[in-house]
Amino acid sequence: MFKATVACLFITLIAVIVHDSQAQECEVCVNMLTKFSETLSDEDRKSKDKVETLLRKFCKKVKGKDERFCFYIGAREDSATSTIGDVSKPLSFYMPPEKICDKLKAKDSQICELKYEKQMDLVNANFKKMKVKELKKILAIWNEDCKGCTEKSEFIARVEKLLPTYAPEAAAARTAAQKSEL
């Protein structure tokens, strides 16, 4: 009995590890299809064409790696190829995003090579020790710029000014930490 229980736990652990590695392997694909799938109603899923139309519309709003994913599957107007049917049809049948991404990987391995950049810890970040390139990257993620900024201190001031708008939790935590130091 004990051996059977241990064997079941071991098999379950392996299944969880394999599932997690697949999600990490096709991180952008799984995330995008999960987000998109959550926006679909049962009525939307009845037609493959409707799913394709909604996916194209959804892809117009995304940026960064998500936008690149849309380009790869042909959901953007500037896409060179189109495998959008390989996404819309399985979605209309409620196929899980992980399985869809596995099938897409077989057709185009680039889809699963997309990875999100690691999130920056804005609560503990020391902006004064960052490079200007990193400060510009924060602003770019926020779709902001620093016109006329030539000095590092100007970029730091801009990031600190915009922090409450784009990362209110981080701004509040930094303010609380500064008050506790006093």
Side-chain angles (χ1 to χ4, degrees), residues 123-141:
V123 175
N124 299 315
N126 186 345
F127 298 135
K128 292 178 182 171
K129 289 187 178 180
M130 286 184 171
K131 295 179 180 179
V132 172
K133 184 177 181 179
E134 293 172 303
L135 295 168
K136 285 181 177 181
K137 188 174 183 180
I138 293 170
L139 292 171
I141 290 169

Side-chain angles (χ1 to χ4, degrees), residues 122 127 135-147 149 153-172 174-175:
L122 295 174
F127 298 135
L135 295 168
K136 285 181 177 181
K137 188 174 183 180
I138 293 170
L139 292 171
I141 290 169
W142 294 342
N143 290 327
E144 294 284 347
D145 56 3
C146 192
K147 291 186 179 179
C149 295
S153 59
E154 295 169 328
F155 284 99
I156 292 170
R158 180 76 171 150
V159 168
E160 288 175 341
K161 179 182 176 189
L162 294 171
L163 192 63
T165 305
Y166 292 99
E169 299 88 13
R174 288 174 72 92
T175 303

Side-chain angles (χ1 to χ4, degrees), residues 60-79:
K60 286 181 181 178
K61 300 175 189 169
V62 297
K63 300 263 186 229
K65 299 294 181 180
D66 295 339
E67 183 179 31
R68 177 59 54 189
F69 170 76
C70 289
F71 175 81
Y72 285 159
I73 64 168
R76 294 185 39 87
E77 293 173 7
D78 58 347
S79 298

Side-chain angles (χ1 to χ4, degrees), residues 40-161:
L40 294 175
S41 68
D42 290 339
E43 191 65 33
D44 294 335
R45 291 179 189 261
K46 288 183 179 177
S47 166
K48 177 185 159 244
D49 294 332
K50 176 80 169 169
V51 173
E52 280 185 27
T53 303
L54 292 172
L55 182 56
R56 288 181 197 280
K57 190 174 180 181
F58 185 80
C59 281
K60 286 181 181 178
K61 300 175 189 169
V62 297
K63 300 263 186 229
K65 299 294 181 180
D66 295 339
E67 183 179 31
R68 177 59 54 189
F69 170 76
C70 289
F71 175 81
Y72 285 159
I73 64 168
R76 294 185 39 87
E77 293 173 7
D78 58 347
S79 298
T81 61
S82 181
T83 58
I84 194 167
D86 297 333
V87 174
S88 61
K89 188 174 181 180
L91 278 173
S92 68
F93 298 139
Y94 293 89
M95 184 181 283
E98 292 84 2
K99 295 245 188 236
I100 297 170
C101 292
D102 282 343
K103 290 183 177 193
L104 289 174
K105 181 182 176 186
K107 292 186 178 202
D108 185 358
S109 63
Q110 287 181 320
I111 289 173
C112 284
E113 291 172 3
L114 289 171
K115 303 277 185 230
Y116 291 115
E117 293 180 22
K118 297 199 186 243
Q119 294 294 322
M120 191 175 294
D121 180 14
L122 295 174
V123 175
N124 299 315
N126 186 345
F127 298 135
K128 292 178 182 171
K129 289 187 178 180
M130 286 184 171
K131 295 179 180 179
V132 172
K133 184 177 181 179
E134 293 172 303
L135 295 168
K136 285 181 177 181
K137 188 174 183 180
I138 293 170
L139 292 171
I141 290 169
W142 294 342
N143 290 327
E144 294 284 347
D145 56 3
C146 192
K147 291 186 179 179
C149 295
T150 55
E151 299 294 322
K152 182 177 179 178
S153 59
E154 295 169 328
F155 284 99
I156 292 170
R158 180 76 171 150
V159 168
E160 288 175 341
K161 179 182 176 189

